[in-house]
Amino acid sequence: MATYGKIPEDVIEAVRRHHDIVDTVGKYVHLSKQGKYMKGLCPFHSEKTPSFTVTPELQIFHCYGCGKSGNVIRFVEELEGYSFPEAVRVLAEDAGIPVTWAGSDGSKPSAEDTERTVLIEAHELAAKFYHYLLNNTQHGKAAKDYLRERGLGDKLIDHYMIGYAPEQWDTLSRFLDNRKFDPALMEKGGLLSAKHDGSGYVDRFRSRIIFPIWDRDGKVTAFAGRIIGDGQPKYLNSPETMLFTKSRTLYNLHHARPAIRKRKQVVIFEGYMDVIRSWSAGVKNGVATMGTALTAEHCQMLGRQADEVLICYDGDDAGQAAAMKSIPMLEAAGMRVMVSMLPKGKDPDEYIAEYGPEAFMREAIDEPVSVTKFKLIYSRKNHILLKEEGRKNYLLEAAGIVAELDSAIEREIYLQELSREFEVPLEVLKQDCLIKHQELQKKKPQRDNNDNSWNNGRNENRRKSGPPAVLPAYVKAERRLLHVMMRDSEVAQTVHERLGDAFNIEDHAALAAYLYAFYAQGYDPDAGRFIATLQDERLERAAATILMMDGDFPFNEDILAADIQDIVKVPQLREVDRKKEEMVQAERAGDHLLAAQMSIEIITLERQLKGRQDDRF
């Protein structure tokens, strides 16, 4: 039995067959039927008209805009940012297919896989245990009262599985020990800490309100603890482990994902209390970083889920400085960025407590400012506007900020506001701004008009119009043969006998080799299953693109023979061209004998090619 990274091929096939691609894609993309295809807006790039196509018959997807293609596993892998094994595992669990498969050599799951499974089980149990202690014991009463004072009702506490770790040193340790969990592994997973004298283990979290941290699949992989009253540190997170990496974890993502996808917008907060309180206020698409600054990995995760991001950090100087650092990273991930403006010193949690959820939604969420407006507000704080020098320096900096905008209309609007406020002639500001804008344009790298800009709502720099490139005859022939081969095993066998691996395009030769092997294993024609065996994104993309060709073109023995002839003569044509170049070089060098020899060889090759051409008729 073939395996792919420890996963048996029959498991992959069972996963693929259980998850119909139309149903799976339909959870993320609104699809409309067009003939034998389903079409919608691509979830992988922003576009204005549908270029994303799903073919139910073949169980594959293909985007003519960004080029992404594949089967249902590849779709989930790309959209969720999973590795292939992760995507198969998630889909298998959803289908109720056991995921305790053995390795390719028949061995048991690796030690790391086993440890991961045990640690997830321990974290899930610990979360339930802490939650029980909060709600049902005298130990948790003070913590429960504190949470209620902070505006967290029982429904919200249950939704976020908030718990309490008592002050005793070994409450969780004894709980896990009674259930036969290895304490050394529990320390490795961040639940326990080893005593300094090596005599045993103690609880990592004590006298703290406990907030479970989930991974993107909704499994508890870490905890955050907040101390009640005085004490340091005020907040304590689990250490980084095989389950938990801060730079790749966003608090509440698994809860927020449906709302994020529905609105195509995500709200980023600085802390989990902000997320929880804003959820109660109606913000269902909020996430937070876990005690670390926003990272490029965070931004990439969000960029796969949303088109727009709203930064809702604390209203103090540190929060606004963090927002400034986050803006370029979020924009680099392809999202439109907006910023909420909270009163100085207020965080979202405090704002909701003081002014209420309606005011928070109205002021912070529904009325954010643009990045340019935020930068102008942030810049003002660095200048003393009551002094002439301060006003001058601010206006120079403001002109530079406005100059970053590509739209002349937007630049005009901001400059008019500055002109009115500071009583400076608009033309003077425009002149300064234009100079800075031109300087910025010169520094920008020349943008490629590549396929990724096609139909892209975020990129107005369209490709130049013109007729599509005409493919050489042999490329068309190779694609046509592969298209039919993926649907007809007898044609594949004929091509194998007559042509073998003599395809001229590297990816085509690879696809042919995989097809020969696929049929040799006794499989019937099944394009979706074949693509699942490739395990290579580039080849999956090539196969899906070829399969999306209109299959109504004529095909018979004569066309097959002609296509093979077009393919096999390519190396000889290239040899003729090479010898012609050598003949020209020999003539230029005055070596007339060598030039004559080259001429004879060229004539011989061309006669051979003509003879083969005549044999076709």
Side-chain angles (χ1 to χ4, degrees):
M1 180 61 66
T3 62
Y4 306 96
K6 302 180 184 177
I7 308 174
E9 193 274 338
D10 59 351
V11 171
I12 295 173
E13 178 61 11
V15 165
R16 191 182 68 82
R17 288 194 176 277
H18 183 275
H19 293 277
D20 180 80
I21 195 165
V22 175
D23 294 338
T24 301
V25 172
K27 295 176 183 177
Y28 307 89
V29 180
H30 177 69
L31 296 171
S32 301
K33 188 170 179 59
Q34 291 192 11
K36 60 183 179 180
Y37 304 113
M38 305 291 289
K39 298 199 76 173
L41 295 174
C42 180
F44 303 114
H45 80 288
S46 179
E47 61 180 9
K48 296 179 179 179
T49 54
S51 61
F52 183 82
T53 303
V54 176
T55 310
E57 175 198 357
L58 301 175
Q59 288 292 296
I60 62 172
F61 72 92
H62 177 72
C63 178
Y64 290 95
C66 65
K68 290 191 181 295
S69 305
N71 60 15
V72 67
I73 299 172
R74 175 65 68 183
F75 178 81
V76 172
E77 182 181 345
E78 290 278 355
L79 197 69
E80 299 290 358
Y82 291 139
S83 65
F84 179 82
E86 286 174 335
V88 174
R89 183 182 293 272
V90 168
L91 289 170
E93 288 175 345
D94 186 60
I97 299 169
V99 296
T100 55
W101 43 73
S104 58
D105 57 357
S107 62
K108 295 179 180 179
S110 70
E112 183 174 332
D113 288 341
T114 301
E115 287 185 353
R116 181 181 295 273
T117 300
V118 171
L119 282 174
I120 288 175
E121 182 186 353
H123 277 80
E124 293 278 350
L125 278 172
K128 293 174 183 176
F129 181 56
Y130 285 139
H131 187 59
Y132 174 85
L133 293 176
L134 176 76
N135 286 323
N136 300 284
T137 69
Q138 192 64 30
H139 293 296
K141 186 177 183 308
K144 189 75 173 281
D145 291 342
Y146 171 83
L147 290 170
R148 284 172 172 162
E149 289 172 9
R150 293 286 300 269
L152 275 64
D154 290 350
K155 187 176 180 181
L156 203 58
I157 290 171
D158 290 342
H159 179 76
Y160 281 98
M161 284 291 289
I162 301 171
Y164 179 68
E167 62 181 350
Q168 286 82 4
W169 289 79
D170 60 352
T171 306
L172 181 65
S173 177
R174 285 185 288 108
F175 174 80
L176 294 173
D177 185 58
N178 289 337
R179 283 153 182 79
K180 308 303 181 186
F181 286 98
D182 177 14
L185 179 59
M186 298 301 100
E187 183 205 14
K188 186 176 179 180
L191 291 171
L192 305 179
S193 299
K195 292 182 180 179
H196 295 301
D197 60 6
S199 62
Y201 299 87
V202 296
D203 297 357
R204 178 176 180 81
F205 296 98
R206 300 185 301 276
S207 296
R208 290 180 181 273
I209 295 173
I210 300 296
F211 299 85
I213 299 171
W214 297 268
D215 65 11
R216 58 192 170 194
D217 301 322
K219 292 183 171 60
V220 180
T221 56
F223 293 100
R226 188 193 192 284
I227 202 162
I228 301 176
D230 298 329
Q232 291 297 327
K234 185 176 180 181
Y235 298 98
L236 178 68
N237 288 339
S238 293
E240 297 210 346
T241 67
M242 66 171 64
L243 301 183
F244 176 58
T245 305
K246 291 180 184 178
S247 63
R248 294 200 295 268
T249 303
L250 288 165
Y251 181 72
N252 199 51
L253 180 59
H254 73 297
H255 281 143
R257 186 183 287 134
I260 292 172
R261 289 210 177 109
K262 183 176 181 180
R263 298 189 59 181
K264 301 301 289 181
Q265 182 204 57
V266 60
V267 183
I268 300 182
F269 297 97
E270 287 189 273
Y272 40 83
M273 277 300 293
D274 295 331
V275 169
I276 294 169
R277 286 302 299 275
S278 65
W279 179 280
S280 69
V283 181
K284 307 300 184 184
N285 56 334
V287 300
T289 52
M290 290 306 310
T292 185
L294 192 72
T295 66
E297 290 161 303
H298 289 141
C299 296
Q300 289 166 8
M301 289 169 63
L302 295 175
R304 287 190 288 265
Q305 314 283 334
D307 294 333
E308 180 179 282
V309 58
L310 174 57
I311 300 173
C312 192
Y313 287 175
D314 296 355
D316 58 14
D317 292 341
Q320 294 202 347
M324 280 292 289
K325 290 180 180 178
S326 300
I327 287 169
M329 288 192 294
L330 291 164
E331 289 181 330
M335 289 180 283
R336 188 166 74 98
V337 183
M338 303 293 285
V339 185
S340 289
M341 298 302 297
L342 293 173
K344 183 174 176 64
K346 296 289 184 186
D347 61 32
D349 176 27
E350 293 167 339
Y351 190 94
I352 293 170
E354 187 166 341
Y355 300 105
E358 294 80 11
F360 177 73
M361 292 296 292
R362 183 177 62 252
E363 301 293 336
I365 303 301
D366 295 336
E367 296 294 335
V369 301
S370 67
V371 165
T372 300
K373 186 71 173 178
F374 174 73
K375 287 180 178 179
L376 290 171
I377 293 170
Y378 186 78
S379 173
R380 292 176 77 104
K381 298 179 180 180
N382 298 322
H383 303 282
I384 302 174
L385 300 184
L386 294 175
K387 295 185 177 181
E388 184 178 343
E389 184 72 11
R391 288 195 298 275
K392 181 198 73 173
N393 290 335
Y394 170 65
L395 284 172
L396 287 170
E397 195 169 300
I401 292 169
V402 175
E404 295 173 5
L405 293 167
D406 289 329
S407 168
I409 294 175
E410 287 186 83
R411 295 199 301 272
E412 178 85 9
I413 291 171
Y414 285 111
L415 293 177
Q416 283 180 356
E417 290 181 6
L418 290 167
S419 174
R420 285 193 296 269
E421 181 180 357
F422 292 92
E423 298 180 345
V424 175
L426 177 60
E427 289 305 315
V428 173
L429 290 173
K430 287 174 70 173
Q431 184 178 356
D432 240 30
C433 184
L434 182 60
I435 293 170
K436 293 178 183 291
H437 179 70
Q438 290 171 342
E439 289 174 354
L440 289 171
Q441 293 301 110
K442 289 177 183 177
K443 293 177 182 178
K444 281 186 178 180
Q446 193 68 30
R447 287 191 292 186
D448 293 330
N449 291 320
N450 55 28
D451 286 342
N452 289 333
S453 69
W454 187 90
N455 195 21
N456 192 327
R458 300 194 192 107
N459 184 0
E460 296 301 325
N461 184 26
R462 297 287 188 265
R463 292 184 294 177
K464 294 178 181 177
S465 60
V470 178
L471 295 174
Y474 76 89
V475 176
K476 293 180 180 178
E478 292 184 1
R479 294 180 67 176
R480 184 163 48 237
L481 283 183
L482 287 167
H483 177 94
V484 179
M485 288 163 66
M486 281 188 271
R487 296 168 178 263
D488 190 324
S489 58
E490 291 185 6
V491 171
Q493 179 62 33
T494 302
V495 174
H496 190 194
E497 293 169 357
R498 298 189 193 178
L499 188 62
D501 63 353
F503 287 79
N504 296 285
I505 305 297
E506 182 183 348
D507 284 355
H508 294 173
L511 286 174
Y514 276 111
L515 262 176
Y516 300 151
F518 181 75
Y519 289 131
Q521 294 177 61
Y523 294 122
D524 293 326
D526 184 335
R529 184 168 192 166
F530 169 66
I531 287 178
T533 68
L534 294 173
Q535 294 298 292
D536 181 278
E537 182 179 358
R538 192 176 79 177
L539 291 181
E540 286 182 28
R541 196 175 280 198
T545 301
I546 291 169
L547 281 165
M548 295 300 290
M549 294 166 53
D550 187 353
D552 295 332
F553 52 74
F555 191 83
N556 53 37
E557 173 61 33
D558 290 338
I559 293 173
L560 186 149
D563 283 346
I564 291 176
Q565 181 60 36
D566 283 338
I567 293 167
V568 298
K569 73 181 183 182
V570 170
Q572 288 180 296
L573 288 172
R574 289 172 177 167
E575 180 68 8
V576 168
D577 290 339
R578 187 182 66 80
K579 288 187 178 296
K580 284 181 178 179
E581 179 64 28
E582 289 180 358
M583 185 179 72
V584 170
Q585 291 176 354
E587 288 174 344
R588 288 175 180 170
D591 192 342
H592 300 294
L593 179 59
L594 179 59
Q597 289 174 343
M598 290 292 103
S599 177
I600 294 170
E601 291 178 11
I602 290 168
I603 292 170
T604 302
L605 284 171
E606 288 179 336
R607 282 176 178 170
Q608 290 174 354
L609 284 168
K610 188 175 185 301
R612 289 189 176 181
Q613 185 77 11
D614 293 341
D615 289 343
R616 288 166 48 184
F617 301 100

